[in-house]
Amino acid sequence: MAANCKNPRSKAGAYRRFLSIVLVTLSPSESSVNVLSPRYNNSDYRLILNLPKQSELSIQLEKRNQLRPRNTDLYPKLAQNHITIVLYVHNRPQYLKVVVESLSKVVGISETLLIVSHDGYFEEMNKIVEGIKFCQVKQIFAPFSPHIFPDSFPGVSPNDCKDKDDAAKKHCVGNPDQYGNHRSPKIVSLKHHWWWMMNTVWDGLKETEGHTGHILFIEEDHFIFPNAYRNLQKLAAWKPKKCPDCYAANLAPSDVNSRGENWDSLIAERMGNVGYSFNRTIWRKIHMKTREFCLFDEYNWDITMWATVYPSFGRPVYTLRGPKTSAVHFGKCGLHQGQGGRGACIDNGAVNIAVEDVDKVVNINSKWEVQFSENQPGYKAGFKGWGGWGDERDRALCLKFAEMYKH
């Protein structure tokens, strides 16, 4: 978790140049006529929650989050039973191009709303999303992403402790994790973005405030098969009767290396992190476990859920899926490996995923029974976490995200 050491003056100059470009991009004339009324008073909630002081870029991104979806001229109405799709992205444009291309071939995609949640602002990522024409699409940008705070928390502050610094001896700021390591903004951004996104999508957007059905969550390195949306609609509709103990519906097995069993049955298993969906009732249960999520020393959101949030529900958390996957994880580069500099993961995003005829049509059957997978391997209650989340400032910001949209 070593921090990058760069010349602070050159870094600040580069950021100012970047900011000037971004502010031009984020100030379209449409913003004056196409803005939704915010769900909250910005100044009030910042004061009450004592959120980090925002930069000009952070404020502009927050304003942009209030813009209406694009392509409403092409798709003026959403289907009554649509499942909103949320694609959360970081800075892997080579991957984003792949998932966008796969989404363009999904049957039924034009009936729904695609929300793209960005961890900060990256112009190439923005341009790819602005080129989407196959459905309504709305972009949201995490305004407190560490990536847009170059010299203050939640980014890197000048007096932050690094690595295994002793705060008392170095007179630096920070709390180490359980392994003695201090925070790395690039690492903690993963969990911050996911939690901010969840709170915003469920409780902070005009477009989803009345949505009672499922919302599907996918990532920029998930290849989506053409039958994914129609399969998911079936699973969500069947779940109350076929699997009343299931909390969610998934497009893919929890084992990311599996393509499914190809049985003539539905599968109920532990919730995976590829193509998962749930409704507002389940979100409320998750939100009630805010402290468990925010105070657990683990920088991965999914491991946090598996190791502490789901076990706190008091019973197994099952998800319902088909016996053949409708989504595939294809990424090689981890989010924390970055896009440049030493140690960056270089991957051109090329994929060769075979899409068969059976992947283009609904391939599940309401007459099938449900096979329950029990005692599966993976992170469970008792796992103490990989660390990376020991700083009290990160924990406090996480708790504040859960309070942003309370009325």
Side-chain angles (χ1 to χ4, degrees):
M1 294 186 186
N4 259 340
C5 294
K6 295 184 179 180
N7 183 305
R9 289 185 179 178
S10 63
K11 185 176 180 182
Y15 178 75
R16 285 192 294 271
R17 290 191 295 275
F18 167 72
L19 177 60
S20 64
I21 295 171
V22 171
L23 292 182
V24 171
T25 307
L26 295 183
S27 303
S29 58
E30 66 177 320
S31 63
S32 61
V33 296
N34 214 21
V35 175
L36 293 169
S37 298
R39 297 284 308 279
Y40 46 78
N41 182 298
N42 285 343
S43 58
D44 285 350
Y45 92 86
R46 288 196 198 102
L47 288 173
I48 294 170
L49 297 180
N50 193 28
L51 288 164
K53 183 178 179 181
Q54 290 181 271
S55 64
E56 189 173 357
L57 173 56
S58 175
I59 294 170
Q60 290 295 325
L61 292 177
E62 196 163 38
K63 289 180 179 178
R64 183 164 179 176
N65 291 347
Q66 298 166 23
L67 292 178
R68 297 181 184 277
R70 298 167 66 93
N71 299 333
T72 54
D73 55 330
L74 302 174
Y75 312 99
K77 289 188 177 181
L78 301 173
Q80 188 173 2
N81 64 338
H82 74 278
I83 295 176
T84 298
I85 301 174
V86 177
L87 168 61
Y88 51 104
V89 303
H90 304 272
N91 187 23
R92 298 180 292 182
Q94 70 275 30
Y95 287 0
L96 181 57
K97 291 174 183 177
V98 174
V99 69
V100 167
E101 176 64 18
S102 72
L103 282 171
S104 71
K105 298 175 181 177
V106 169
V107 178
I109 191 69
S110 63
E111 301 172 4
T112 191
L113 169 66
L114 174 65
I115 299 173
V116 182
S117 180
H118 296 262
D119 185 11
Y121 181 87
F122 302 96
E123 179 55 24
E124 188 173 358
M125 301 291 284
N126 176 59
K127 284 183 177 179
I128 293 170
V129 178
E130 287 189 342
I132 292 175
K133 298 297 182 184
F134 50 77
C135 66
Q136 285 191 26
V137 59
K138 177 182 177 70
Q139 297 196 77
I140 57 175
F141 302 83
F144 296 98
S145 167
H147 299 294
I148 61 174
F149 287 79
D151 51 16
S152 63
F153 179 83
V156 179
S157 300
N159 58 341
D160 277 354
C161 296
K162 298 178 177 62
D163 302 327
K164 292 184 179 288
D165 283 349
D166 184 315
K169 292 181 179 179
K170 289 289 188 76
H171 302 290
C172 55
V173 175
N175 313 97
D177 65 13
Q178 59 190 307
Y179 304 105
N181 297 301
H182 285 278
R183 75 187 297 268
S184 166
K186 192 183 296 185
I187 294 293
V188 300
S189 70
L190 310 180
K191 190 168 177 175
H192 277 312
H193 179 213
W194 191 85
W195 190 238
W196 173 85
M197 172 193 72
M198 282 291 170
N199 280 275
T200 299
V201 166
W202 285 109
D203 296 328
L205 298 181
K206 183 73 173 177
E207 292 82 4
T208 54
E209 66 178 350
H211 190 81
T212 57
H214 280 57
I215 293 181
L216 170 66
F217 296 90
I218 58 177
E219 207 165 338
E220 66 200 330
D221 57 359
H222 296 170
F223 183 95
I224 311 301
F225 287 172
N227 65 0
Y229 187 73
R230 293 294 187 229
N231 271 355
L232 185 60
Q233 286 181 310
K234 299 288 187 183
L235 290 169
W238 299 342
K239 183 164 63 71
K241 288 188 177 180
K242 302 289 287 186
C243 188
D245 290 332
C246 285
Y247 283 65
N250 262 75
L251 295 178
S254 61
D255 178 359
V256 296
N257 297 312
S258 171
R259 298 295 179 91
E261 302 82 2
N262 287 314
W263 298 338
D264 287 339
S265 64
L266 301 175
I267 314 297
E269 63 170 1
R270 73 195 295 262
M271 195 186 302
N273 58 7
V274 177
Y276 54 96
S277 69
F278 51 85
N279 61 26
R280 190 174 296 275
T281 299
I282 301 305
W283 164 243
R284 286 284 163 254
K285 290 180 70 70
I286 293 172
H287 191 271
M288 287 175 65
K289 302 298 180 179
T290 291
R291 292 188 65 81
E292 285 83 349
F293 183 87
C294 291
L295 302 182
F296 186 61
D297 189 9
E298 167 60 57
Y299 70 91
N300 292 288
W301 69 264
D302 48 2
I303 298 177
T304 300
M305 297 295 288
W306 288 323
T308 184
V309 175
Y310 296 150
S312 73
F313 290 164
R315 61 175 184 165
V317 176
Y318 289 109
T319 187
L320 186 66
R321 65 169 174 85
K324 185 171 171 53
T325 192
S326 292
V328 174
H329 176 271
F330 66 86
K332 297 177 183 177
C333 294
L335 298 178
H336 61 281
Q337 290 173 286
Q339 295 301 306
R342 298 177 72 182
C345 178
I346 306 301
D347 177 7
N348 63 12
V351 296
N352 185 22
I353 297 172
V355 178
E356 303 171 358
D357 288 342
V358 70
D359 302 317
K360 299 177 182 179
V361 296
V362 172
N363 57 10
I364 54 178
N365 194 316
S366 63
K367 296 179 181 179
W368 289 348
E369 295 183 352
V370 178
Q371 298 286 337
F372 281 78
S373 297
E374 299 178 353
N375 301 317
Q376 289 180 277
Y379 296 99
K380 295 181 174 68
F383 178 66
K384 65 178 184 179
W386 292 114
W389 193 262
D391 199 298
E392 292 299 326
R393 293 171 295 174
D394 288 313
R395 297 180 175 193
L397 182 59
C398 180
L399 292 169
K400 291 170 185 176
F401 285 161
E403 300 288 321
M404 286 192 302
Y405 306 112
K406 281 195 171 182
H407 302 291

